[in-house]
Amino acid sequence: TYLITQPLVFSNLQNVRLRGSGRDVAKIKCDGAAIFSNSALAFIDSSHIEVNGLALDQNNNASFTATWPLVFFLTSTHVAVRNCSVINVTYIGLGLNQVQYFWIEDNFLEHNTAINSTNYNINVTSTVGNLSRYGGVRGNTMLRSSNIFSGRDIVIDGNVALSSKYGANIVTGGDAAFVYGS
């Protein structure tokens, strides 16, 4: 377990794999009392990034906001989050904004506490003229929260959404073309 007290923010990275030995073994955990002014793990303007086999634990830290998800990808391409646990989330667990070519696969996402009405396990967003697109969200188990997808050409398939305690299970919107079977 790696306890962090400040954000890990990376910009302009290419061809990086952040791998752990399993989502129940290797953990990056936020200090519950620390003040985070950014996402705990953020990749900005990066390409070919993979996060695999890790537990990412927000530890119910209330300093996170709707602007800063626990794990965040911004204006990046070719992003993959696979076989991870995103747990003890207060606002947004996994956020992607203006990301193209992404895969969110075989993860466990758990929302423990609702701070306000912005409660998402997965939040894929876009801005006008810069859509999140060409993505796949497959085989994830999402517990006690909603998931929102706004973009184009996103396949949502084979996911399990359990309990909508903090919002609707799967919400789609925007200029979107979806195929889903979750």
Side-chain angles (χ1 to χ4, degrees), residues 91 114-120 146 166-167:
Y91 273 94
I115 298 296
N116 71 5
S117 62
T118 307
N119 302 297
Y120 306 116
S146 60
Y166 303 124

Side-chain angles (χ1 to χ4, degrees), residues 77-156:
T77 64
H78 297 90
V79 168
V81 179
R82 295 184 172 110
N83 197 31
C84 289
S85 293
V86 179
I87 57 175
N88 299 315
V89 174
T90 55
Y91 273 94
I92 300 170
L94 178 58
L96 289 83
N97 190 343
Q98 303 174 56
V99 174
Q100 295 189 26
Y101 303 102
F102 61 89
W103 300 267
I104 303 169
E105 300 173 323
D106 302 318
N107 300 292
F108 175 79
L109 301 106
E110 177 186 29
H111 207 283
N112 261 4
T113 306
I115 298 296
N116 71 5
S117 62
T118 307
N119 302 297
Y120 306 116
N121 277 319
I122 300 172
N123 184 5
V124 177
T125 59
S126 302
T127 59
V128 174
N130 199 350
L131 295 174
S132 290
R133 60 184 350 167
Y134 313 123
V137 181
R138 297 183 176 109
N140 300 289
T141 300
M142 303 166 291
L143 184 60
R144 285 192 299 277
S145 193
S146 60
N147 304 278
I148 188 164
F149 303 95
S150 177
R152 178 173 288 202
D153 302 317
I154 301 170
V155 176
I156 304 168

